[in-house]
Amino acid sequence: MDYPQPELPHIYTASLIDEVRDLAPRAEPGHYEELRNSSGELASHWKTFFEQLEPTGLADLDQRTQELNRQVRENGITYNVYADEFGPQRPWSVDLFPLIINTQAWQEIESGVLQRARLLEAIMSDVYGPQTLLKEGLIPPALVHGHPAYIRSMHGVSPPSSRHLHIIAFDLARAPDGSWSVLSQRTQAPSGLGYLLENRNLIARQFPKAYQAIQVAPLANVYRDLIDSLKSQSPAGSNAHIALLTPGPYNETYFEHAYLARYLGLTLVEGGDLTVRDRHLFLKTVKGLEPVHILLKRLDDEFLDPLELRADSTLGVPGLLQVIRAGNVILANAPGSAFLESPALLGFLPGISERLLGEKIQLPAMDTWWCGERAALEAAIPNLGMSAIKPTYSGAPGHEQYEATLGASLNQAQLDEWVGRITRQPDEHTVQRYIPLAQMPVWLNAFNMNNASLIEPHSYMLRVFALSNGSDSWQVLPGGLARIASSDPGIASMQRGGSSADVWVQSHHQTAQEPLAPQTLHKAPISRKRIVTSRAAENLYWFGRYTERSENLLRLAKFYLESVNADYLPSKHLWVWLGSLCTQYGLVPDGVPSNFEHGDAHHRIFERTLIDCLGHWQHATSVGFNLQAMKRTASNVRERLSTEQWGSINACIDQFQADCHKATAFQDFSSSLAIEALNRANSSLAAITGAQTDRMTRDDGWQLLTIGRYIERLSFLTNALDKAITSGLLNNPNADSSGYMALLALFDSTITFHAQHQQSREIEPLVSLLVLDDENPRSLAWVTKALRARLSKLAGTERNHPDELTSSVTNFQNYSLDALCTLDSQGNFYNLRDCLQNCANAAWNVSDEISARYFNLIHQNHYRVQT
């Protein structure tokens, strides 16, 4: 009998290289082609790359693309042009293929960038010092004193590190002849250092064999050297406290801020976290004020200090410039460097280099004319059709603002219009010679080909970074961020829908593969605990509360829907209890009828309304809103959460929104689909709370997160039990056990009760389990006991010597079971209700006191300074 032979994998050798060469179209005329050499063959480093794809060749690249996109979603990598509190976040776009730069090309880039870094630092020292360049006419005063980003109050100030710049980014383009040119430079708050790291993590995982074969230069050491360099320049030395200043979670690059803070082991702070005292900078923490010695800023200069710069800024720190002038904080980069970003300055740098460094520029910029000079204006106008027109003072108030425009894209009438605009306001315009951008190969997913080739050349720009490596030295990060154009081959911009690529720099030396997961590069002293800012503490506290609140609402909604759709109609007492709880907690708006005696029509109205409101995130009491609020508070402490934990939060919300839409589609309001949505969300929340319990360090932030959960649980359970009593749910449980069992189910204690008390329907076992059992995590005694333990740990007191706040939490050891189950003459459990009310009031008093003591720091003794 002939058996079918297994299909052997296709083995690619020279045929794979031929396939790539034949499949990939040539670069467009006039563009440098990265994939091929001058003879049309694959460049040697790209040949090495594709050789490592054996034995599957190109066959599994679609699968790798899908895996890459999945990792981006799971890691929560976003880049939002317009960040919205509730709107969808734009996933980071990264191409499957890296940009590979061989050793020779990188040496050209590296030497030129190092020289330019030294030059820009020298310009800063001169402009904020003797101003020789201005006196000798090497820089027009309009580009310095006339630039809104020049900060006059910083003139004459020498930074404590004797260095103004620590991180500089350069945007480079490759000419058709293969040479590199500078298009722009970023000194104020350059972005990309975090995204390029994440790109490396993603792409190196996809091609580990190629990564090793090409001998890609590692990145980690350069980041470590930056941190060590900053600390060495601070008087605090190795004990210096470094913080990263972010505009906040609604900034388009906030993911990068949180990622860098976690990777470098820095404290991520917003302006409101910092305060100035006696010309020193301090961080507001739950333990008081902690000094900050070094500040990495991701904030534009104009927002740094509302007292001296932009008065309406809520992002900065009042008095920060005083601290800088006093030499008590290192700011990376020093304020006032944004004038260096003007494209007009590029045309003057060759002369400045010879004057300050005594060297000719190694890495040239594109021919640039600032039209504020008559000779430059006359030279620029004839070249307008072959150039890019850029605003001289980009983003500066009081100056003309417009998108950079390519002259080649304009017709004659439009060119004439631009000539008129430039002639009327010449100093507002800078003209820069345009060259066709080099093109690199990108992989097109076969499922979205639209009859295009699988490998296609796309234009790109390269951003590289020079980082401080000591008081007077620099090093270039061996890699960078490639920005790939989408459809317009002349513009490579992430804001215009472009994507990014990892950049592999080929090294001569074989290096061990660097860790691909985020890690803390600099170890703090072992005795030092993680700092918890007051803002982070408050967000963690509410993260816990919203998590618990969402879980409570899910359980309540699910139990209501299951009860009204059961084989038997709920009893009147059970109906009243469930209806009042759903209305009180906002699952159903006030006014929606739920009266048990009005028949099935009213039941259905109440049920349909509840289902319809589940996913409405606009309603402040809906499940959807509370899940979004949970995510919002979590995003404010993103640097403290693992990638898996953040992914679970996003997945939970996305799935719940999709499930709710399915349940309400076509006005169907399906109870079964709604229950399915609630079950799925409840399972996701179990994973989220599990991560809170098992995946977070037990620092003060975690204590407050847990305290928030316990306060929310205590409030919900005490209220549910009290309403059960007032609704008559427990009047005669032996005759009608539905309310008795419903209460156990809402407390998630049914299994425990049956294990301990079998089928009992007496009041005493119920109260014992739900109120007094300190081993049941859903009982009031357990929650209050755990809450006291967390408060004691937070305050640093012994359990047997609690402070006033810890002592204020109800201690159920003071209550007896007989007293709680005693009925008064009207048949009410007056002792139990009094206990519940005291317990709830104590929980809310604790909440108010926590806000005052740890978040707002309104108590005098919490203004102390940590040394």
Side-chain angles (χ1 to χ4, degrees), residues 749-759 769:
S749 299
T750 303
I751 295 176
T752 304
F753 182 84
H754 287 324
Q756 294 180 4
H757 305 289
Q758 288 75 48
Q759 295 298 315
L769 180 65

Side-chain angles (χ1 to χ4, degrees), residues 277 284 288-289 856-865:
R277 301 289 173 82
K284 292 182 281 188
L289 301 180
N856 301 325
L857 302 180
I858 63 174
H859 296 318
Q860 185 69 30
N861 63 322
H862 281 271
Y863 280 109
R864 66 185 185 275
V865 174

Side-chain angles (χ1 to χ4, degrees), residues 34 44-45 99-111 174 180 213-217 478 504-510:
E34 292 288 349
S44 60
H45 46 277
L99 170 64
I100 306 174
I101 301 178
N102 63 27
T103 305
Q104 181 180 355
W106 182 251
Q107 287 175 345
E108 178 186 347
I109 293 172
E110 185 176 37
S111 60
R174 200 166 196 181
W180 295 91
I214 293 175
Q215 300 182 28
V216 181
W504 290 5
V505 173
Q506 205 169 18
S507 172
H508 276 310
H509 307 289
Q510 182 69 43

Side-chain angles (χ1 to χ4, degrees), residues 4-174:
Q5 297 299 312
E7 184 177 349
L8 297 176
H10 182 61
I11 304 299
Y12 291 85
T13 52
S15 60
L16 173 59
I17 305 303
D18 294 338
E19 182 182 2
V20 172
R21 185 183 61 243
D22 297 338
L23 182 64
R26 298 299 302 265
E28 297 178 24
H31 295 259
Y32 180 86
E33 184 176 6
E34 292 288 349
L35 182 62
R36 293 176 172 87
N37 56 31
S38 57
S39 63
E41 297 297 321
L42 261 61
S44 60
H45 46 277
W46 279 107
K47 185 177 180 181
T48 302
F49 176 85
F50 285 108
E51 285 174 344
Q52 304 308 311
L53 299 185
E54 298 176 359
T56 57
L58 306 180
D60 68 342
L61 291 188
D62 278 341
Q63 182 179 346
R64 298 192 199 207
T65 301
Q66 292 175 347
E67 171 66 16
L68 176 63
N69 293 333
R70 184 186 66 80
Q71 281 293 321
V72 169
R73 292 193 302 270
E74 290 186 356
N75 292 0
I77 312 170
T78 57
Y79 177 87
N80 303 316
V81 179
Y82 301 105
D84 177 13
E85 179 178 355
F86 293 107
Q89 293 181 314
R90 174 183 168 187
W92 177 247
S93 180
V94 54
D95 195 71
L96 185 64
F97 290 158
L99 170 64
I100 306 174
I101 301 178
N102 63 27
T103 305
Q104 181 180 355
W106 182 251
Q107 287 175 345
E108 178 186 347
I109 293 172
E110 185 176 37
S111 60
V113 166
L114 288 174
Q115 183 195 50
R116 282 183 171 265
R118 291 188 292 115
L119 177 59
L120 294 183
E121 175 62 33
I123 293 174
M124 284 290 291
S125 298
D126 180 79
V127 166
Y128 285 99
Q131 299 193 338
T132 303
L133 298 174
L134 291 168
K135 294 172 184 176
E136 296 181 1
L138 291 171
I139 300 182
L143 298 182
V144 180
H145 292 158
H147 199 297
Y150 176 75
I151 302 177
R152 287 170 171 76
S153 61
M154 293 301 294
H155 182 259
V157 177
S158 179
S161 62
S162 299
R163 165 169 278 183
H164 297 81
L165 305 176
H166 301 269
I167 303 171
I168 310 175
F170 296 91
D171 291 327
L172 308 180
R174 200 166 196 181

Side-chain angles (χ1 to χ4, degrees), residues 374-410:
R374 176 169 293 276
L377 174 62
E378 293 174 352
I381 294 300
N383 290 293
L384 213 56
M386 302 176 291
S387 302
I389 308 168
K390 299 182 177 182
T392 300
Y393 309 99
S394 180
H399 290 271
E400 187 174 355
Q401 301 300 317
Y402 52 90
E403 290 287 339
T405 302
L406 295 181
S409 66
L410 305 175

